[in-house]
Amino acid sequence: MSAVKVTDRISAVSILNPAMRIFDVVMKTEYGTSYNSYIVRGDEKAALIETSHVTFFSHYVEMIKQVCDPSEIEYIVLNHCEPDHSGSLRDLLDLCPNAKICVSRAGSIYLKGITNRDDLPLVIAKDGDSIDLGGATLKFIPAPFLHWPDSMFTYCEEERTVFTCDMLGSHYCEPYIYDTAVTYPAKYFEALKGYYDAIFGPFKPYVRAGLEKLSNLDYDFACTSHGPILTRDGKLNEVLRLYNEWSAQVQGEVDIPVFYCSAYGNTEKLAQAISRGILRAKPDAKSEAIDINSVEMSVLQARLNASTAFAVGSPTINSDAVAPVWELLSHVDAINSKKRPALVFGSYGWSGEAVGNITARLNGLRMSVFEDGLKVTFVPSDEDIKNAEELGFRFASSF
Ligand SMILES: Cc1cc2nc3c(=O)[nH]c(=O)nc-3n(C[C@H](O)[C@H](O)[C@H](O)COP(=O)(O)O)c2cc1C
Ligand SMILES: [Fe+2]
Ligand SMILES: [Fe+2]
């Protein structure tokens, strides 16, 4: 791809990576991604906003050279220091001997760890600080946790453009850089939601704060760091509306799902009894026993992470809990699950490690695990079922 003009003074020098399928270890990127970067040219100075993934360095430098000589760049603005944006910085500094790096204070600390350099020419960008390029001003606006604590937006009032970094971005790649040129809008919006869930799902209050800050700016272009540039004539208003909807505070019902796996129906019986006890304590709550193997993992994950509290049960098979239970617990939103009440149970034959091992995992996530959990040998007796129901009742009465 070549450099593309966005406004009179702004050019995109973005790398397209349509082949990428996994980002940051955990995100599936069915439609690839792009590493967007921009050059703002004032009458006197030029600034580069974001750099690129280091893999693409030589191609990236070629594109920069289509816009200006790298030695003319006087500022490199890093709205966020994750290596998809900062990866090329180290090598780029050799080509931009005059460049100072504008980052938030948190970013300045991370950047030292990322580049292993103490001598970086840093400018700490504080709330409302700006740099004058001559006819174009860049103003810095903190946007913490969008996506890391260091994140900020950069606003160019004269060009009616805001650089939002990961916010409003998407792992979506077509051979064009504008939202108006997107050929498959349904796939784009699917990618937008996937990106939102993975990156911003845990940070809803910060998303609301970011949207509030954006609403105070006058702009026609949101230059994100992944996926298409958003424009007022294109998808910008719809993307903002969706972000508002997805990050809204919902006063949901009390939901206490009881997840389980069961080879011979024993742990299942305990799950049903526990759920009955929960509903006796909280008749208005939602609770049912859910066989982990019979529901899509993404649905289970969403239910667990939105729950008020939950119970999880596994038989002991070969000295441990079973794999589907571990998979579910690998999807816990650890940031927002601290102190979430949880109850552990399971049937076993002789050694019964499952309940202890699950409890250790939940304690590691800093959840609030209830009592010692419930372990029953083989087939639950009538008394075991009564105990399980009582335990469910005590559990749901405890929060
Ligand atoms: C393949 C297999 C391996 C097992 N391994 C263990 C074990 O290591 N320790 C143990 O306490 N019980 C073990 N059990 C016994 C089960 O935990 C026990 O039968 C339990 O009641 C099954 O509960 P479920 O019907 O909910 O699956 C094993 C059972 C099977 C079928
Ligand atoms: Fe990021
Ligand atoms: Fe990113």
Side-chain angles (χ1 to χ4, degrees):
M1 169 128 171
S2 305
V4 178
K5 207 163 175 165
V6 180
T7 68
D8 279 351
R9 293 183 182 277
I10 299 173
S11 299
V13 285
S14 302
I15 291 285
L16 303 184
N17 183 2
M20 163 164 274
R21 287 296 173 268
I22 295 182
F23 186 88
D24 273 8
V25 190
V26 291
M27 289 184 70
K28 294 216 170 72
T29 53
E30 205 183 331
Y31 307 115
T33 195
S34 62
Y35 305 101
N36 301 348
S37 172
Y38 304 91
I39 295 175
V40 186
R41 299 195 73 175
D43 294 331
E44 287 131 38
K45 295 175 183 173
L48 181 69
I49 301 193
E50 320 299 359
T51 75
S52 195
H53 197 288
V54 70
T55 313
F56 306 94
F57 185 68
S58 53
H59 182 186
Y60 177 54
V61 170
E62 269 172 46
M63 274 198 295
I64 293 175
K65 285 181 177 165
Q66 290 169 16
V67 181
C68 67
D69 190 306
S71 65
E72 288 171 37
I73 293 172
E74 298 220 17
Y75 297 102
I76 298 175
V77 176
L78 287 176
N79 281 327
H80 160 43
C81 291
E82 193 173 356
D84 53 333
H85 311 289
S86 66
S88 291
L89 181 72
R90 229 188 124 101
D91 295 337
L92 203 56
L93 286 175
D94 295 334
L95 302 178
C96 309
N98 303 316
K100 291 177 271 305
I101 305 161
C102 304
V103 276
S104 64
R105 185 165 299 285
S108 71
I109 297 164
Y110 306 161
L111 217 45
K112 282 183 189 144
I114 288 167
T115 59
N116 286 318
R117 277 180 60 165
D118 277 332
D119 60 340
L120 294 172
L122 296 177
V123 175
I124 305 294
K126 297 189 292 303
D127 190 1
D129 281 359
S130 58
I131 51 177
D132 186 358
L133 305 175
T137 317
L138 299 180
K139 185 173 170 192
F140 305 116
I141 301 164
F145 291 99
L146 302 170
H147 146 230
W148 280 2
D150 63 326
S151 297
M152 63 181 189
F153 303 143
T154 296
Y155 176 50
C156 183
E157 189 177 357
E158 296 89 340
E159 301 299 290
R160 300 185 63 79
T161 298
V162 60
F163 300 89
T164 56
C165 199
D166 286 338
M167 174 107 163
L168 313 181
S170 56
H171 287 318
Y172 187 80
C173 184
E174 288 196 24
Y176 319 103
I177 64 156
Y178 280 111
D179 55 357
T180 44
V182 165
T183 315
Y184 303 105
K187 292 180 184 182
Y188 164 71
F189 281 108
E190 180 197 324
L192 182 84
K193 176 74 161 89
Y195 188 87
Y196 174 90
D197 286 344
I199 300 288
F200 299 118
F203 301 115
K204 278 183 177 184
Y206 294 98
V207 173
R208 291 197 294 273
L211 288 169
E212 175 74 27
K213 289 181 183 183
L214 289 179
S215 73
N216 293 326
L217 307 177
D218 260 341
Y219 62 101
D220 297 323
F221 301 93
C223 287
T224 63
S225 291
H226 304 284
I229 293 172
L230 300 173
T231 60
R232 287 283 173 209
D233 295 337
K235 298 180 171 49
L236 177 57
N237 292 342
E238 176 62 2
V239 171
L240 288 169
R241 189 192 69 73
L242 286 167
Y243 261 63
N244 271 297
E245 182 185 309
W246 295 332
S247 64
Q249 238 170 339
V250 275
Q251 290 299 341
E253 61 191 333
V254 174
D255 185 22
I256 313 166
V258 180
F259 303 105
Y260 72 92
C261 277
S262 187
Y264 293 100
N266 299 326
T267 306
E268 180 179 16
K269 287 189 185 115
L270 298 176
Q272 285 162 349
I274 286 169
S275 183
R276 284 198 299 276
I278 289 171
L279 288 172
R280 193 150 55 78
K282 288 199 176 1
D284 297 330
K286 180 175 169 191
S287 177
E288 80 266 21
I290 303 169
D291 177 0
I292 293 173
N293 276 326
S294 68
V295 181
E296 178 101 21
M297 192 49 73
S298 60
V299 175
L300 295 171
Q301 171 189 352
R303 179 98 185 253
L304 188 157
N305 287 325
S307 69
T308 316
F310 70 97
V312 58
S314 173
T316 297
I317 302 270
N318 296 338
S319 303
D320 199 2
V322 294
V325 170
W326 289 126
E327 198 196 337
L328 176 61
L329 295 181
S330 78
H331 293 297
V332 167
D333 168 0
I335 293 168
N336 291 303
S337 287
K338 287 176 195 139
K339 300 217 164 70
R340 195 191 298 272
L343 172 67
V344 188
F345 62 96
S347 169
Y348 71 104
W350 46 95
S351 52
E353 290 89 344
V355 167
N357 290 350
I358 295 172
T359 300
R361 162 84 178 142
L362 299 183
N363 282 331
L365 292 165
R366 289 189 260 167
M367 292 198 189
S368 175
V369 181
F370 190 67
E371 297 182 358
D372 294 332
L374 176 66
K375 289 168 71 172
V376 168
T377 46
F378 289 111
V379 180
S381 65
D382 290 349
E383 197 183 339
D384 291 329
I385 293 292
K386 221 172 113 210
N387 285 342
E389 195 174 320
E390 281 314 309
L391 178 63
F393 181 84
R394 282 202 308 285
F395 174 56
S397 308
S398 71
F399 51 87

